[in-house]
């Protein structure tokens, strides 16, 4: 007799504390893994240390510009760091708010979870059980340790696996997402895996940078962003075509470009956090060649 969702054990192929053997992957994916295994960027780490929520994505919303007007240099630095983290957390909450309605009995999947902040946000909002997957062994270990410190490691788990071939249970998930991680993979393969993992009627959300097809080919700025992050930014239309081929039907599309520009304007004023790509992002957003998009889709 088939068990109800409330009766299903919360098991995965490999225990969360074990480093799973990553499925066969390309040379490019190995390079991406090497990049994130070595990454120690202050813009990720310093912000996360404020409340142990580590977000590997950008922020949205209006900036409190008084932080940049602070006269004391050290206080100005701390206030800018806190404001950037607030904006990044606001982005995570926007995404999480599109996953529901969910209950503590539901399971959700975080594809390309980074150091795990998004999974924690979803769990705190809904009480749901979360599996995060990252190609970086270092990130998976870090995220699991954060979950352990919070006392939620029985419900929020991270796995060192390839998000294109997770080995997780078919049809077990009520919702899944990619938050600025879809530009590292081929979209058809990615959406096929989400469609496999999601139950019928399950919800998928992606927030991503994409290049604007109406502009033409990828702009110089997009090419510079690709080189900076070792990624391959997709055209906007590719998302909708790949979703249609993989049983994911968009129900909400939102252009977040204008909402993210203030974040970048503030970040370029933070010498302790800048990475050198800030002006490129701002130029790409403002010349129309690059967009920051959220797509919400249902699995049919």
């Amino acid at each position: 007799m088939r068990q109800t969702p409330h009766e299903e054990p919360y098991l995965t192929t490999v225990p969360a504390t074990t480093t799973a053997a990553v499925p066969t992957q390309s040379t490019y994916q190995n390079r991406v893994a090497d990049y994130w295994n070595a990454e120690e960027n202050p813009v990720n780490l310093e912000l996360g240390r404020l409340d142990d929520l580590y977000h590997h994505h950008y922020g949205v919303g209006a900036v409190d510009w008084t932080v940049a007007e602070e006269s004391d240099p050290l206080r100005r630095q701390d206030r800018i760091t806190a404001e950037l983290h607030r904006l990044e957390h606001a982005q995570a909450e926007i995404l999480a708010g599109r996953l529901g309605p969910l209950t503590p009995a539901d399971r959700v999947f975080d594809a390309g979870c980074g150091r795990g902040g998004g999974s924690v946000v979803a769990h705190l909002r809904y009480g749901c059980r979360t599996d995060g997957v990252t190609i970086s062994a270092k990130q998976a270990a870090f995220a699991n340790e954060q979950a352990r410190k919070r006392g939620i490691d029985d419900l929020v788990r991270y796995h060192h696996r390839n998000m294109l071939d997770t080995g997780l249970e078919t049809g077990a998930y009520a919702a899944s997402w990619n938050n600025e991680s879809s530009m590292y993979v081929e979209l058809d393969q990615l959406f096929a895996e989400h469609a496999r993992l999601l139950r019928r009627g399950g919800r998928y959300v992606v927030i991503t940078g994409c290049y604007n097809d109406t502009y033409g080919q990828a702009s110089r700025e997009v090419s510079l962003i690709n080189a900076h992050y070792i990624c391959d930014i997709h055209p906007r239309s590719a998302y909708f075509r790949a979703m249609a081929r993989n049983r994911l039907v968009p129900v909400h599309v939102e252009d977040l470009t204008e909402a993210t520009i203030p974040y970048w304007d503030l970040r370029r004023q933070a010498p302790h956090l800048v990475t050198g790509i800030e002006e490129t992002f701002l130029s790409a957003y403002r010349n129309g060649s690059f967009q920051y998009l959220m797509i919400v889709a249902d699995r049919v």
Side-chain angles (χ1 to χ4, degrees), residues 170-290:
T170 298
Y173 295 86
S176 65
W177 69 90
N178 285 90
N179 197 349
E180 294 183 20
S181 55
S182 58
M183 65 285 295
Y184 288 99
V185 294
E186 295 181 21
L187 293 180
D188 271 301
Q189 294 181 42
L190 175 67
F191 293 155
E193 183 68 349
H194 280 286
R196 183 186 71 81
L197 293 171
L198 286 168
R199 67 194 185 198
R200 189 175 181 87
R203 172 63 54 83
Y204 172 70
V205 181
V206 58
I207 294 182
T208 186
C210 55
Y211 77 78
N212 183 355
D213 302 67
T214 64
Y215 183 90
Q217 295 297 314
S219 67
R220 175 180 177 274
E221 290 88 352
V222 170
S223 297
L224 289 172
I225 295 169
N226 281 335
H228 185 87
Y229 289 111
I230 320 177
C231 64
D232 186 15
I233 293 167
H234 304 291
R236 180 180 60 193
S237 62
Y239 284 87
F240 299 99
R241 291 197 302 266
M243 284 183 178
R245 289 190 291 262
N246 289 282
R247 305 183 68 176
L248 295 171
V249 179
V251 295
H252 177 80
V253 180
E254 188 170 348
D255 186 348
L256 298 172
T257 305
E258 290 299 320
T260 196
I261 286 175
Y263 165 88
W264 288 98
D265 274 330
L266 178 62
R267 182 165 139 177
R268 68 176 173 173
Q269 299 187 39
H272 62 298
L273 298 175
V274 294
T275 64
I277 199 66
E278 287 76 15
E279 293 293 344
T280 303
F281 268 85
L282 285 167
S283 177
Y285 285 140
R286 286 174 169 149
N287 70 25
S289 67
F290 191 50

Side-chain angles (χ1 to χ4, degrees), residues 46-275:
E46 293 302 318
L47 275 61
R49 289 190 183 108
L50 294 174
D51 58 5
D52 290 329
L53 280 173
Y54 292 82
H55 298 302
H56 279 265
H57 55 73
Y58 310 126
V60 296
V63 168
D64 174 6
W65 286 107
T66 65
V67 302
E69 299 164 1
E70 177 65 50
S71 59
D72 180 82
L74 291 179
R75 180 163 168 76
R76 180 179 185 274
Q77 177 174 303
D78 290 344
R79 289 187 66 191
I80 288 177
T81 299
E83 181 68 355
L84 289 170
H85 184 62
R86 183 186 69 81
L87 297 169
E88 290 188 3
H89 187 74
Q91 191 261 37
E93 290 285 3
I94 287 173
L95 190 155
R98 291 289 180 175
L99 298 174
L102 298 171
T103 73
D106 289 319
R107 293 171 66 179
V108 300
F109 171 58
D110 182 356
C113 62
R115 288 186 172 93
S119 291
V120 176
V121 169
H123 168 73
L124 293 177
R125 178 182 281 251
Y126 300 107
C128 54
R129 297 169 291 172
T130 304
D131 284 298
V133 164
T134 171
I135 205 169
S136 165
K138 182 178 179 181
Q139 287 183 341
F142 182 97
N144 276 318
E145 178 61 16
Q146 292 302 309
R148 186 193 66 77
K149 288 180 179 178
R150 286 178 176 270
I152 58 175
D153 51 311
D154 58 331
L155 296 171
V156 178
R157 303 178 178 184
Y158 302 94
H159 312 270
H160 174 216
R161 304 187 190 184
N162 189 331
M163 63 179 164
L164 301 181
D165 184 14
T166 65
L168 299 173
E169 184 181 353
T170 298
Y173 295 86
S176 65
W177 69 90
N178 285 90
N179 197 349
E180 294 183 20
S181 55
S182 58
M183 65 285 295
Y184 288 99
V185 294
E186 295 181 21
L187 293 180
D188 271 301
Q189 294 181 42
L190 175 67
F191 293 155
E193 183 68 349
H194 280 286
R196 183 186 71 81
L197 293 171
L198 286 168
R199 67 194 185 198
R200 189 175 181 87
R203 172 63 54 83
Y204 172 70
V205 181
V206 58
I207 294 182
T208 186
C210 55
Y211 77 78
N212 183 355
D213 302 67
T214 64
Y215 183 90
Q217 295 297 314
S219 67
R220 175 180 177 274
E221 290 88 352
V222 170
S223 297
L224 289 172
I225 295 169
N226 281 335
H228 185 87
Y229 289 111
I230 320 177
C231 64
D232 186 15
I233 293 167
H234 304 291
R236 180 180 60 193
S237 62
Y239 284 87
F240 299 99
R241 291 197 302 266
M243 284 183 178
R245 289 190 291 262
N246 289 282
R247 305 183 68 176
L248 295 171
V249 179
V251 295
H252 177 80
V253 180
E254 188 170 348
D255 186 348
L256 298 172
T257 305
E258 290 299 320
T260 196
I261 286 175
Y263 165 88
W264 288 98
D265 274 330
L266 178 62
R267 182 165 139 177
R268 68 176 173 173
Q269 299 187 39
H272 62 298
L273 298 175
V274 294
T275 64

